Amino acid sequence: MKRLTYILLTLVFISCKSEKKDIFQEYNGEMVKVEFIDSKADSLFTGFGGVTYENGKLKSLSYVKNGVPADTLFYYYENGKIKEKGLVENGFQKGWWIYNREDGSLKEKSEWLTLKDSLYKNQSIYFDQNGEVKYKNSSFFNLKIPDTIQVGKNIASFNYNSNIDVYKKLMYVVIENKYSESETKLDTFGIENDDYRFGIFGYEKGKQNIKGQIVEELYEIKNIGNDSAIGTVSNHKKYFEKEVYVSDKNN
């Protein structure tokens, strides 16, 4: 997966040199001159690089380092509207990407993570033509962890929207809690009756990274004949991470 993604994000910028007009394009608030990369020198190129459609309109643009997109990557429709954009790091999409329709309206926002050298879509929010969220199609969460927590036990929560409809579903949160220099536990908190709360432990005063997973355990029944069926169990995970400050409540 890593090799395939790397190749796709690299090849989009390979273009044989020809007589082209200089193109200047806004890039994250800065007007930049777009260079067209020679396929023989693409591994050495560093700068703002892109390719065009046959009609000369800009098709893609990114800051490129040694031939590979290394910052925000833009794709454009032929009418100049942004088709999609997001951050690229080490050949992978990273964080939240946006996807637009040809008229420029927002179609989708998705969060991408890299897990074990593979690209993983962690959240996805879809929008209709009026900009309203299409909840039946979307899968996302809103984390509610305070920026400052106390030493010891703390309560956090989240809102959750699922687009998975199965026979039966269980949900739980797994948190990596550190209790001492030698003890770190994966604590599990079951979610029932839409009570989306879980516990986090503040180990010591100072900055602390909270890491966890929201897990949907899915039970499905599939008919395999007129009078027989088979049950399957699978897990769907969403990952989260947040840096907080731990305060000593005794001071």
Side-chain angles (χ1 to χ4, degrees), residues 37 69 89 190 203 228:
I37 303 170
E89 187 176 274
Y203 169 56
S228 59

Side-chain angles (χ1 to χ4, degrees), residues 17-18 23 26 28 40 48 51 60 69 83 86 114-115 117 140 143 149-150 174-175 181 183 191 198 220 233 248:
K17 284 184 177 178
S18 60
I23 291 183
E26 184 178 355
N28 291 340
K40 295 180 180 179
F48 294 99
V51 298
S60 60
K83 184 177 183 179
T114 302
L115 301 176
D117 289 339
F140 62 93
L143 199 60
I149 64 174
Q150 303 295 321
V174 180
I175 296 291
E181 289 299 323
E183 183 183 19
I191 303 298
F198 58 94
E220 298 181 81
V233 181
D248 186 349

Side-chain angles (χ1 to χ4, degrees), residues 93-99 108-114 119-125 139-141 238-241:
Q93 293 163 275
K94 178 183 178 182
W96 284 96
W97 275 59
I98 66 167
Y99 303 84
E108 174 190 346
K109 291 173 63 177
S110 288
E111 183 192 28
W112 296 94
L113 305 177
T114 302
L119 199 60
Y120 184 82
K121 183 182 282 191
N122 197 45
Q123 303 184 69
S124 55
I125 308 173
S139 179
F140 62 93
F141 61 90
K238 295 194 182 302
Y239 299 84
F240 62 85
E241 187 171 346

Side-chain angles (χ1 to χ4, degrees), residues 1-249:
M1 181 66 178
K2 183 174 184 179
R3 178 181 173 82
L4 176 61
T5 306
Y6 178 90
I7 291 174
L8 287 175
L9 290 175
T10 302
L11 288 183
V12 73
F13 289 100
I14 295 178
S15 175
C16 294
K17 284 184 177 178
S18 60
E19 294 298 322
K20 294 179 180 290
K21 296 180 180 179
D22 288 342
I23 291 183
F24 293 86
Q25 179 71 27
E26 184 178 355
Y27 182 87
N28 291 340
E30 176 187 3
M31 193 61 67
V32 301
K33 181 180 178 182
V34 183
E35 300 289 342
F36 300 96
I37 303 170
D38 191 317
S39 59
K40 295 180 180 179
D42 70 291
S43 63
L44 303 177
F45 177 77
T46 294
F48 294 99
V51 298
T52 63
Y53 290 100
E54 290 184 3
N55 62 8
K57 295 281 188 177
L58 193 62
K59 185 176 184 179
S60 60
L61 168 65
S62 181
Y63 177 75
V64 179
K65 186 175 182 179
N66 296 327
V68 180
D71 204 301
T72 307
L73 172 60
F74 290 81
Y75 291 101
Y76 302 93
Y77 290 105
E78 287 192 66
N79 64 10
K81 300 284 188 181
I82 295 174
K83 184 177 183 179
E84 57 188 78
K85 72 172 183 177
L87 187 66
V88 175
E89 187 176 274
N90 298 323
F92 284 99
Q93 293 163 275
K94 178 183 178 182
W96 284 96
W97 275 59
I98 66 167
Y99 303 84
N100 297 325
R101 298 180 181 87
E102 198 164 356
D103 64 3
S105 62
L106 180 61
K107 181 174 67 175
E108 174 190 346
K109 291 173 63 177
S110 288
E111 183 192 28
W112 296 94
L113 305 177
T114 302
L115 301 176
K116 297 180 180 179
D117 289 339
S118 294
L119 199 60
Y120 184 82
K121 183 182 282 191
N122 197 45
Q123 303 184 69
S124 55
I125 308 173
Y126 296 93
F127 301 85
D128 63 21
Q129 288 282 0
N130 297 318
E132 300 294 328
V133 176
K134 299 166 68 173
Y135 288 97
K136 287 185 178 181
N137 303 94
S138 302
S139 179
F140 62 93
F141 61 90
N142 179 26
L143 199 60
K144 297 181 180 179
I145 298 178
D147 294 332
T148 300
I149 64 174
Q150 303 295 321
V151 171
K153 296 180 179 179
N154 296 264
I155 299 295
S157 65
F158 63 99
N159 294 329
Y160 194 85
N161 186 82
S162 177
N163 60 358
I164 301 175
D165 185 16
V166 292
Y167 168 71
K168 185 179 179 181
K169 179 167 55 178
L170 299 177
M171 180 179 286
Y172 53 91
V173 177
V174 180
I175 296 291
E176 185 178 310
N177 277 325
K178 183 177 181 179
Y179 293 96
S180 70
E181 289 299 323
S182 60
E183 183 183 19
T184 299
K185 291 183 178 180
L186 293 178
D187 292 331
T188 302
F189 300 87
I191 303 298
E192 296 181 359
N193 301 320
D194 295 332
D195 184 9
Y196 297 105
R197 293 186 296 174
F198 58 94
I200 53 178
F201 191 83
Y203 169 56
E204 61 182 1
K205 184 177 180 179
K207 292 182 180 180
Q208 181 173 318
N209 202 32
I210 305 297
K211 297 174 65 175
Q213 304 171 20
I214 300 171
V215 184
E216 290 180 282
E217 192 167 282
L218 310 173
Y219 297 82
E220 298 181 81
I221 295 179
K222 297 180 180 179
N223 294 325
I224 58 175
N226 294 331
D227 56 357
S228 59
I230 185 172
T232 62
V233 181
S234 61
N235 288 333
H236 179 75
K237 298 179 180 179
K238 295 194 182 302
Y239 299 84
F240 62 85
E241 187 171 346
K242 179 177 179 177
E243 185 178 81
V244 300
Y245 181 79
V246 182
S247 174
D248 186 349
K249 60 185 176 182

